[in-house]
Amino acid sequence: MSLLTTLHRSGALRTLDHALAQSLRRLRPDTPETVQLAAALASLAVSQGHAGFDPAQPQRLLEAAGADWPGAAAWLQHLRQSPWVDTPAHDVAAAADAPLVLEHGLLYLRRYREYERRLAQGLQRIASAPLGTDDPAALAPLFARLFPDAHTGQDHQARAAAVALRHPLVLVTGGPGTGKTTTIARVLALLTAQALQAGQPAPQVALAAPTGRAAERMAESLRAAVTPLRALGVDDAVCDALPVSGSTLHRLLGVIPDSPRFRHHADNPLPYDVVVVDEASMIDLPLMTKLVDAIGSGTRLLLLGDPDQLPSVEAGDVLSAILAASGDGLGVQADDAEALRPLLASVNLAPEQPSRPFRGRRVQLQRGYRQSDALDLAPLAAAVRQGDADSALALLRSDDLAGVHFHEDQLDPLEQHRDVLLSHWRALGEAADPDQALALAGRLRLLTALREGPQGARGLNERIEAWLAGTTRAGSGPRYFHGRLLLVTENSYRHRLFNGDIGICLRDGTGAVMAWFPGDGPGQPRAFHPAALPAHESAFAMTVHKAQGSEFESVWLQLPRRDTRVLSRELIYTGMTRARHSLHVLGGEDVFRAALARHASRLSGLSARLGGGRQPETAAAEHEVPAGPTQGDLF
């Protein structure tokens, strides 16, 4: 039996992957099995979040015991000789019509190679675009008011703002509590003041994020930042011009029903002077490509994100690739240093890698992690991020971290902590009105690594629903009951409901159960008949992936009973940093150690295309542990 057939029958390959391989053989019966197998694995790689498949590392995708994989050299040679595989002469050349592309040692589905090529070219175009010749010195008084510690040379927020004035493509990265949105609010204030001083209209600014909740969180943060700006004496005209609302990336680009294309693209660019995108780590390769295509000439692109969070569920780890290729804002070119000296007293004159071909800049903000006075995640988050299981476990067991609780070897929160959790969820249905219920809903969330199984979000939700609905077993009660918490799982622009939005089912004055979601402001919740909602599920328990971009006052992070490929240090870190006031971690030492030993790396050639100095196969080899669950595991 061939290896391809064995993997398919064992369930290691999806039906879709096997069908692609079979179609090649059907159209050309002389197609070698090595090429068929590689095609199936290139398809599987995309489902696991990789941009392509590395024939030198098939174990990155499948841990098939005893699999007799082809030798890498011979495998690559067969692929180069196949009419199904294009080998472009250089990175910027468009691929031929062949379904597969071999480049830099990676085998791509043609579409994903083209996404990478277009994204790299688009980022280079934006980063190299000339800006106006306005003298930053004119902003020095306002800059000093906004960043009083800028003269020390140690204020990274000030450096980020100064670099953003000088470059059209800037990445501002850092963990929770490091001031990313505060920094951006002041950057926008500076850009607005600069335009008004020159007698020009205030810049048109778009705020966007991958999910509706993340976009609203960014807008809330920027609205909250306006009051401190006024207190610092910033002109009302500047403050009034700042954006007050955000949107999903899909809404920003303009969804076309029943089409993968958007209304805004290279030939119809976005009508904004500045585009600010939060939670950039969540953006997949196809969506980032379409966003960059729609950024017009002269538009600034500011990306915010935490590179230690989970990468996107779909293919690509775009933020990490851009970071690897971007120049550090702390080591600026000499001409930048001279221009920024009126703003920053101490500027590093030493150019950072003068030959670096990618002109995008990044500034890493100092890590705070303190979500509130009640919760200090700094040492624990740092240990998890570094994969230091010994230090992380010692901190969890020490009881020295305010607001952090470790329930070691507790594997079912609905057994040991049922009363605490159910009392919170029951209180949702006892709220005085929908507004209060929605506010209470954000106070606690049970997060899991898995979607399926008894410890997965679906299994936990079914048990919680049974208790709250007063039924004897999971799945036997009414689908919609008073107090059911809902999570929207697809965008509906007609309803203005977006993937990640949270709502609650409550009885109205007639006794009918309606689904309530936040409206345009406090006291303005919106009601929908449950049957009219887009795809949704219960939200008492959520996967960490689904919670990305959200925050909750209290997080209960449940680890699986056994190790799984889904687990990684990025998943643990992302789950922990969703908490604002208290964090509860439940699980065993062995699983925790296994998670911190696994790095959620992705196979990609984007960094190399941007001039990051590493070939895709070299970058991939840095991480020996397989990365990537299937999409079904994550949702």
Side-chain angles (χ1 to χ4, degrees), residues 350-366:
E352 186 203 49
Q353 297 188 24
S355 62
R356 183 185 291 274
F358 184 50
R359 294 185 58 82
R361 288 293 181 266
R362 63 181 171 90
V363 178
Q364 174 76 19
L365 299 182
Q366 295 175 343

PDB file of all heavy atoms in Angstrom, residues 350-366:
ATOM      1  N   ALA A 350      23.703  55.227  15.018  1.00  0.00           N
ATOM      2  CA  ALA A 350      24.236  54.073  14.300  1.00  0.00           C
ATOM      3  C   ALA A 350      23.137  53.460  13.452  1.00  0.00           C
ATOM      4  O   ALA A 350      22.109  53.056  13.972  1.00  0.00           O
ATOM      5  CB  ALA A 350      24.773  53.041  15.286  1.00  0.00           C
ATOM      6  N   PRO A 351      23.331  53.392  12.130  1.00  0.00           N
ATOM      7  CA  PRO A 351      22.299  52.790  11.289  1.00  0.00           C
ATOM      8  C   PRO A 351      22.187  51.301  11.573  1.00  0.00           C
ATOM      9  O   PRO A 351      23.171  50.633  11.833  1.00  0.00           O
ATOM     10  CB  PRO A 351      22.781  53.061   9.859  1.00  0.00           C
ATOM     11  CG  PRO A 351      24.267  53.206   9.991  1.00  0.00           C
ATOM     12  CD  PRO A 351      24.506  53.827  11.338  1.00  0.00           C
ATOM     13  N   GLU A 352      20.962  50.799  11.524  1.00  0.00           N
ATOM     14  CA  GLU A 352      20.734  49.384  11.761  1.00  0.00           C
ATOM     15  C   GLU A 352      20.734  48.660  10.422  1.00  0.00           C
ATOM     16  O   GLU A 352      19.803  48.802   9.633  1.00  0.00           O
ATOM     17  CB  GLU A 352      19.409  49.159  12.476  1.00  0.00           C
ATOM     18  CG  GLU A 352      19.220  47.702  12.867  1.00  0.00           C
ATOM     19  CD  GLU A 352      17.761  47.369  13.057  1.00  0.00           C
ATOM     20  OE1 GLU A 352      16.957  47.707  12.179  1.00  0.00           O
ATOM     21  OE2 GLU A 352      17.439  46.754  14.071  1.00  0.00           O
ATOM     22  N   GLN A 353      21.784  47.902  10.158  1.00  0.00           N
ATOM     23  CA  GLN A 353      21.903  47.132   8.928  1.00  0.00           C
ATOM     24  C   GLN A 353      21.575  47.992   7.706  1.00  0.00           C
ATOM     25  O   GLN A 353      20.479  47.931   7.153  1.00  0.00           O
ATOM     26  CB  GLN A 353      20.987  45.911   8.966  1.00  0.00           C
ATOM     27  CG  GLN A 353      21.353  44.928  10.077  1.00  0.00           C
ATOM     28  CD  GLN A 353      20.552  43.648   9.970  1.00  0.00           C
ATOM     29  OE1 GLN A 353      20.075  43.279   8.902  1.00  0.00           O
ATOM     30  NE2 GLN A 353      20.430  42.951  11.086  1.00  0.00           N
ATOM     31  N   PRO A 354      22.495  48.829   7.279  1.00  0.00           N
ATOM     32  CA  PRO A 354      22.220  49.733   6.152  1.00  0.00           C
ATOM     33  C   PRO A 354      21.759  49.013   4.892  1.00  0.00           C
ATOM     34  O   PRO A 354      21.069  49.595   4.078  1.00  0.00           O
ATOM     35  CB  PRO A 354      23.573  50.424   5.936  1.00  0.00           C
ATOM     36  CG  PRO A 354      24.311  50.261   7.223  1.00  0.00           C
ATOM     37  CD  PRO A 354      23.861  48.969   7.811  1.00  0.00           C
ATOM     38  N   SER A 355      22.149  47.751   4.742  1.00  0.00           N
ATOM     39  CA  SER A 355      21.775  47.027   3.528  1.00  0.00           C
ATOM     40  C   SER A 355      20.398  46.403   3.620  1.00  0.00           C
ATOM     41  O   SER A 355      19.954  45.755   2.672  1.00  0.00           O
ATOM     42  CB  SER A 355      22.814  45.930   3.253  1.00  0.00           C
ATOM     43  OG  SER A 355      22.834  44.991   4.319  1.00  0.00           O
ATOM     44  N   ARG A 356      19.718  46.561   4.756  1.00  0.00           N
ATOM     45  CA  ARG A 356      18.406  45.947   4.911  1.00  0.00           C
ATOM     46  C   ARG A 356      17.461  46.475   3.832  1.00  0.00           C
ATOM     47  O   ARG A 356      17.204  47.672   3.743  1.00  0.00           O
ATOM     48  CB  ARG A 356      17.858  46.262   6.304  1.00  0.00           C
ATOM     49  CG  ARG A 356      16.504  45.598   6.588  1.00  0.00           C
ATOM     50  CD  ARG A 356      15.957  46.055   7.922  1.00  0.00           C
ATOM     51  NE  ARG A 356      16.738  45.534   9.025  1.00  0.00           N
ATOM     52  CZ  ARG A 356      16.549  44.351   9.589  1.00  0.00           C
ATOM     53  NH1 ARG A 356      15.590  43.569   9.125  1.00  0.00           N
ATOM     54  NH2 ARG A 356      17.300  43.950  10.586  1.00  0.00           N
ATOM     55  N   PRO A 357      16.883  45.581   3.012  1.00  0.00           N
ATOM     56  CA  PRO A 357      16.067  46.054   1.895  1.00  0.00           C
ATOM     57  C   PRO A 357      14.669  46.513   2.296  1.00  0.00           C
ATOM     58  O   PRO A 357      14.024  47.223   1.533  1.00  0.00           O
ATOM     59  CB  PRO A 357      15.993  44.834   0.978  1.00  0.00           C
ATOM     60  CG  PRO A 357      16.208  43.668   1.880  1.00  0.00           C
ATOM     61  CD  PRO A 357      17.134  44.128   2.963  1.00  0.00           C
ATOM     62  N   PHE A 358      14.179  46.101   3.447  1.00  0.00           N
ATOM     63  CA  PHE A 358      12.835  46.471   3.855  1.00  0.00           C
ATOM     64  C   PHE A 358      12.891  47.692   4.766  1.00  0.00           C
ATOM     65  O   PHE A 358      13.577  47.685   5.790  1.00  0.00           O
ATOM     66  CB  PHE A 358      12.164  45.301   4.584  1.00  0.00           C
ATOM     67  CG  PHE A 358      10.735  45.562   4.965  1.00  0.00           C
ATOM     68  CD1 PHE A 358       9.823  46.041   4.039  1.00  0.00           C
ATOM     69  CD2 PHE A 358      10.297  45.304   6.257  1.00  0.00           C
ATOM     70  CE1 PHE A 358       8.501  46.277   4.399  1.00  0.00           C
ATOM     71  CE2 PHE A 358       8.985  45.532   6.613  1.00  0.00           C
ATOM     72  CZ  PHE A 358       8.083  46.015   5.686  1.00  0.00           C
ATOM     73  N   ARG A 359      12.156  48.742   4.422  1.00  0.00           N
ATOM     74  CA  ARG A 359      12.261  50.007   5.120  1.00  0.00           C
ATOM     75  C   ARG A 359      11.203  50.200   6.212  1.00  0.00           C
ATOM     76  O   ARG A 359      11.115  51.260   6.819  1.00  0.00           O
ATOM     77  CB  ARG A 359      12.180  51.167   4.121  1.00  0.00           C
ATOM     78  CG  ARG A 359      13.359  51.210   3.166  1.00  0.00           C
ATOM     79  CD  ARG A 359      13.295  52.444   2.286  1.00  0.00           C
ATOM     80  NE  ARG A 359      13.281  53.671   3.047  1.00  0.00           N
ATOM     81  CZ  ARG A 359      14.366  54.258   3.535  1.00  0.00           C
ATOM     82  NH1 ARG A 359      15.559  53.700   3.366  1.00  0.00           N
ATOM     83  NH2 ARG A 359      14.262  55.391   4.205  1.00  0.00           N
ATOM     84  N   GLY A 360      10.377  49.183   6.450  1.00  0.00           N
ATOM     85  CA  GLY A 360       9.437  49.282   7.559  1.00  0.00           C
ATOM     86  C   GLY A 360      10.180  49.363   8.883  1.00  0.00           C
ATOM     87  O   GLY A 360      11.316  48.904   9.012  1.00  0.00           O
ATOM     88  N   ARG A 361       9.561  49.996   9.884  1.00  0.00           N
ATOM     89  CA  ARG A 361      10.187  50.167  11.187  1.00  0.00           C
ATOM     90  C   ARG A 361       9.293  49.614  12.280  1.00  0.00           C
ATOM     91  O   ARG A 361       8.068  49.621  12.165  1.00  0.00           O
ATOM     92  CB  ARG A 361      10.472  51.650  11.459  1.00  0.00           C
ATOM     93  CG  ARG A 361      11.613  52.210  10.616  1.00  0.00           C
ATOM     94  CD  ARG A 361      12.944  51.574  11.025  1.00  0.00           C
ATOM     95  NE  ARG A 361      14.060  52.101  10.253  1.00  0.00           N
ATOM     96  CZ  ARG A 361      14.530  51.541   9.147  1.00  0.00           C
ATOM     97  NH1 ARG A 361      13.938  50.461   8.667  1.00  0.00           N
ATOM     98  NH2 ARG A 361      15.560  52.060   8.517  1.00  0.00           N
ATOM     99  N   ARG A 362       9.904  49.161  13.340  1.00  0.00           N
ATOM    100  CA  ARG A 362       9.155  48.652  14.477  1.00  0.00           C
ATOM    101  C   ARG A 362       9.729  49.227  15.765  1.00  0.00           C
ATOM    102  O   ARG A 362      10.915  49.545  15.837  1.00  0.00           O
ATOM    103  CB  ARG A 362       9.227  47.120  14.547  1.00  0.00           C
ATOM    104  CG  ARG A 362      10.630  46.570  14.763  1.00  0.00           C
ATOM    105  CD  ARG A 362      10.604  45.050  14.801  1.00  0.00           C
ATOM    106  NE  ARG A 362      11.944  44.483  14.787  1.00  0.00           N
ATOM    107  CZ  ARG A 362      12.662  44.218  15.876  1.00  0.00           C
ATOM    108  NH1 ARG A 362      12.159  44.484  17.067  1.00  0.00           N
ATOM    109  NH2 ARG A 362      13.864  43.688  15.779  1.00  0.00           N
ATOM    110  N   VAL A 363       8.867  49.354  16.754  1.00  0.00           N
ATOM    111  CA  VAL A 363       9.287  49.743  18.101  1.00  0.00           C
ATOM    112  C   VAL A 363       8.606  48.802  19.076  1.00  0.00           C
ATOM    113  O   VAL A 363       7.372  48.675  19.050  1.00  0.00           O
ATOM    114  CB  VAL A 363       8.915  51.201  18.424  1.00  0.00           C
ATOM    115  CG1 VAL A 363       9.329  51.542  19.857  1.00  0.00           C
ATOM    116  CG2 VAL A 363       9.596  52.151  17.446  1.00  0.00           C
ATOM    117  N   GLN A 364       9.401  48.150  19.904  1.00  0.00           N
ATOM    118  CA  GLN A 364       8.878  47.241  20.921  1.00  0.00           C
ATOM    119  C   GLN A 364       8.725  48.013  22.229  1.00  0.00           C
ATOM    120  O   GLN A 364       9.698  48.505  22.792  1.00  0.00           O
ATOM    121  CB  GLN A 364       9.845  46.064  21.118  1.00  0.00           C
ATOM    122  CG  GLN A 364       9.487  45.130  22.260  1.00  0.00           C
ATOM    123  CD  GLN A 364       8.332  44.204  21.912  1.00  0.00           C
ATOM    124  OE1 GLN A 364       8.023  43.999  20.740  1.00  0.00           O
ATOM    125  NE2 GLN A 364       7.696  43.655  22.929  1.00  0.00           N
ATOM    126  N   LEU A 365       7.493  48.126  22.703  1.00  0.00           N
ATOM    127  CA  LEU A 365       7.248  48.840  23.945  1.00  0.00           C
ATOM    128  C   LEU A 365       7.627  47.962  25.138  1.00  0.00           C
ATOM    129  O   LEU A 365       7.553  46.734  25.066  1.00  0.00           O
ATOM    130  CB  LEU A 365       5.778  49.252  24.049  1.00  0.00           C
ATOM    131  CG  LEU A 365       5.293  50.188  22.937  1.00  0.00           C
ATOM    132  CD1 LEU A 365       3.840  50.568  23.175  1.00  0.00           C
ATOM    133  CD2 LEU A 365       6.155  51.434  22.848  1.00  0.00           C
ATOM    134  N   GLN A 366       8.020  48.602  26.211  1.00  0.00           N
ATOM    135  CA  GLN A 366       8.422  47.858  27.397  1.00  0.00           C
ATOM    136  C   GLN A 366       7.238  47.101  27.948  1.00  0.00           C
ATOM    137  O   GLN A 366       6.111  47.581  27.950  1.00  0.00           O
ATOM    138  CB  GLN A 366       8.986  48.810  28.456  1.00  0.00           C
ATOM    139  CG  GLN A 366      10.277  49.486  28.018  1.00  0.00           C
ATOM    140  CD  GLN A 366      10.758  50.505  29.028  1.00  0.00           C
ATOM    141  OE1 GLN A 366       9.994  50.931  29.880  1.00  0.00           O
ATOM    142  NE2 GLN A 366      12.023  50.880  28.930  1.00  0.00           N
TER     143      GLN A 366
END
